[in-house]
Amino acid sequence: MNRLRILFILLLSGLCNVVSAQDPDAKPAFQYFNKTEVGIGLGLGKLKTDIRNGFQMTVKNDQIIISAQTINGIVISGRAGLGVGLGAEFWQKGMFYPVFAHFYYDLKPSDNTPFAYINLGQAFGKRDSTYYYASGKGGLLLSIGVGYKMRIGKRFQFEYEVFYRYQAIQSTYRQYYVASDSTEHFATIDYKVPYHFAGFKIGVLFR
């Protein structure tokens, strides 16, 4: 229920930003934009597990991400924009809250155009522990994507896009071992886990 509430609040926030910004008679010094979108990402590749009893396995990245995010910024030219985004991501085994800088570029000076973008920031949250690995905290995120936008109203565009996503997870666990003198010890292992995803998003852009 808490996850559904967070998703609803985030989408409602993006909608309120759009509605409050509508003033056809205003002539601002710069052009504001809001982009609100939802999407899904599927895990790519494999991950190394924690070391247990002297063994380390490789398992498939089976994480699935369902995300919602809103981005607010300014159009810095007729074809490029810079903004700040925040979101909520529901992992199959975890929950994260990305905060990131966003840059996009339209490939044509048209209302209907392909575009490319990059997001760079930090994801705050926690990956749940499983049999294979301990819980972990969010770290650096990087996302790049391409898509297409089309005008559906005077100041609205509908967007769909495909993306690649990198997410670092910081994890710590304790490893038991027996030293050469037969004494028993525990060592703390601190490491980063790289997660890779590919996915699809749809959204509405207001400017």
Side-chain angles (χ1 to χ4, degrees):
M1 181 62 68
N2 288 336
R3 293 186 175 188
L4 292 176
R5 187 178 298 120
I6 292 170
L7 178 61
F8 174 76
I9 292 173
L10 191 63
L11 293 175
L12 183 61
S13 173
L15 179 60
C16 289
N17 285 334
V18 169
V19 173
S20 64
Q22 296 186 64
D23 184 0
D25 297 324
K27 296 182 179 179
F30 54 83
Q31 189 178 20
Y32 162 86
F33 78 86
N34 171 269
K35 178 178 179 179
T36 301
E37 57 187 2
V38 295
I40 185 170
L42 304 177
L44 300 174
K46 297 182 178 181
L47 307 167
K48 290 187 178 298
T49 67
D50 296 350
I51 299 174
R52 297 184 181 277
N53 301 319
F55 296 96
Q56 187 176 44
M57 300 174 58
T58 299
V59 297
K60 183 180 179 181
N61 177 11
D62 60 355
Q63 292 281 356
I64 299 175
I65 295 177
I66 298 176
S67 64
Q69 62 187 31
T70 185
I71 302 167
N72 293 282
I74 59 173
V75 180
I76 56 179
S77 77
R79 296 166 64 179
L82 185 65
V84 176
L86 57 89
E89 293 184 343
F90 314 110
W91 288 36
Q92 189 174 356
K93 301 180 181 69
M95 180 79 184
F96 291 91
Y97 305 94
V99 178
F100 54 89
H102 171 81
F103 175 79
Y104 78 84
Y105 183 77
D106 292 341
L107 302 184
K108 296 193 304 181
S110 171
D111 290 339
N112 302 316
T113 175
F115 67 93
Y117 74 89
I118 181 170
N119 295 335
L120 180 64
Q122 178 95 3
F124 300 92
K126 180 180 178 181
R127 178 195 66 180
D128 299 335
S129 61
T130 69
Y131 174 80
Y132 297 106
Y133 45 73
S135 62
K137 297 180 180 179
L140 174 72
L141 73 85
L142 170 67
S143 181
I144 56 175
V146 294
Y148 189 82
K149 62 180 67 173
M150 64 184 70
R151 183 159 298 280
I152 57 174
K154 185 177 180 180
R155 302 179 69 179
F156 290 91
Q157 290 173 291
F158 175 77
E159 297 185 350
Y160 54 91
E161 63 197 53
V162 294
F163 68 89
Y164 161 79
R165 166 74 181 277
Y166 166 84
Q167 177 64 61
I169 301 294
Q170 184 73 36
S171 185
T172 301
Y173 68 97
R174 301 190 70 192
Q175 179 187 358
Y176 168 82
Y177 70 96
V178 178
S180 57
D181 59 359
S182 299
T183 58
E184 298 180 343
H185 300 271
F186 282 95
T188 300
I189 309 298
D190 190 2
Y191 69 106
K192 291 184 179 180
V193 183
Y195 277 86
H196 304 275
F197 298 90
F200 178 80
K201 293 179 182 178
I202 58 173
V204 175
L205 175 69
F206 167 83
R207 66 179 189 176

